[in-house]
Amino acid sequence: MEVKQEKILKNIQKAKLGDQVAFTFLLDFYWNEVYGYMLKRTENETDTDDIVIETFAKAFDKIGTYNPEFGFNTWLITIAKNVHIDMLRKKKSTLFLEITDEEDSLANQVLDETPTVEDKLITEQNLSKLLQQIKQLKPAYQEVIQLRYFQEMTYQDMAEQLNEPLNNIKIKLLRAKKLLAEIISEK
C-alpha cells in the first residue's frame, strides 16, 4: 500500500510539472473510482461520462492547487460533485425547451447509421475492421477520433469546433483511445 501511495504522490508531482505520462497514470488509476461514484449518483452513463471527463479536465488544469494532505481521490470526487451540480443547474435552466415534431424528425435523421462515403473508402482500404471497432464506442468518443485521426484536426481546432475546453478534448481523446485499445485487444 505504501509503495502505491508513494507512486501516486510521485505522479502527482510530475503532473504538476506538466508530465503527460503522469496525467495518463492518474487518469487510468482513478477513472473507474470516479466513474463508479458518479454513475451511482446520476444513474446515467452519458451524464457520467461527461461529468468524469470534465472532472479530470478541471483537476488537471488546476492540479497545482491540490493539497497532498488530503487524498487525491477525495479531491477528484469533490470536483466531480461540483461538476454534477453545475450540470443539474444547466439542465434545470434548459428544461422547458419545446421540441417541435419537425425538430424531432430531424433528430431521428441524424441517427441514420448507413455507411458514409468515408466509411466506404475505409472499407475499400481494408480498414473496415477498425471502423467497426470505432463504432462500438460512444458517439462522443467516435467524434473525437474522427476529428483527430480522419480529419487530422489539431486539439485546438477540435476544441473550437466542439465548443469545449481544450483539456476536455485531450481527456476525451485519451479515454477514447484507451477504450478502443480495449475493444481491439478483445478481438
Side-chain angles (χ1 to χ4, degrees):
M1 181 76 179
E2 286 299 317
V3 174
K4 191 179 281 187
Q5 186 63 26
E6 186 176 310
K7 185 175 183 179
I8 291 167
L9 291 173
K10 282 183 182 179
N11 277 286
I12 291 169
Q13 289 304 320
K14 288 179 182 178
K16 285 182 177 183
L17 300 172
D19 184 328
Q20 290 301 312
V21 174
F23 283 126
T24 302
F25 170 82
L26 294 170
L27 178 75
D28 290 345
F29 191 82
Y30 287 106
W31 180 273
N32 289 339
E33 182 177 351
V34 176
Y35 188 91
Y37 178 83
M38 287 315 301
L39 186 59
K40 285 179 185 174
R41 275 180 71 120
T42 66
E43 297 179 352
N44 179 312
E45 286 184 17
T46 303
D47 287 348
T48 299
D49 273 344
D50 293 343
I51 291 167
V52 175
I53 287 168
E54 192 170 337
T55 296
F56 279 97
K58 286 184 176 196
F60 291 166
D61 193 38
K62 302 288 185 190
I63 197 156
T65 65
Y66 169 69
N67 182 347
E69 291 179 22
F70 304 101
F72 193 72
N73 58 340
T74 305
W75 186 63
L76 288 171
I77 295 291
T78 302
I79 294 170
K81 286 179 188 177
N82 291 334
V83 169
H84 183 219
I85 290 167
D86 290 345
M87 185 190 78
L88 291 174
R89 286 182 186 144
K90 286 178 188 172
K91 277 188 177 181
K92 252 187 187 175
S93 68
T94 60
L95 188 60
F96 298 104
L97 291 178
E98 291 187 31
I99 298 175
T100 65
D101 289 338
E102 183 181 345
E103 291 170 330
D104 192 40
S105 174
L106 288 172
N108 288 332
Q109 291 174 8
V110 171
L111 298 176
D112 185 16
E113 293 185 13
T114 57
T116 65
V117 174
E118 292 87 359
D119 290 347
K120 291 175 185 173
L121 179 62
I122 290 169
T123 302
E124 291 171 8
Q125 296 174 349
N126 296 322
L127 294 176
S128 62
K129 188 174 184 180
L130 176 61
L131 183 61
Q132 292 304 315
Q133 292 167 331
I134 291 171
K135 285 185 176 182
Q136 291 178 33
L137 297 172
K138 293 184 180 183
Y141 295 146
Q142 289 179 34
E143 185 175 32
V144 292
I145 287 178
Q146 169 72 21
L147 293 175
R148 181 71 175 156
Y149 298 107
F150 293 96
Q151 295 183 22
E152 298 180 355
M153 294 179 85
T154 65
Y155 291 123
Q156 187 61 47
D157 291 341
M158 291 169 61
E160 289 171 9
Q161 180 164 335
L162 298 175
N163 197 27
E164 290 188 35
L166 185 61
N167 280 341
N168 281 23
I169 297 299
K170 289 179 180 179
I171 290 174
K172 197 179 284 187
L173 187 61
L174 180 67
R175 183 68 178 153
K177 290 190 309 187
K178 181 179 180 190
L179 291 171
L180 184 58
E182 290 173 7
I183 290 170
I184 290 169
S185 68
E186 288 174 4
K187 305 266 174 186

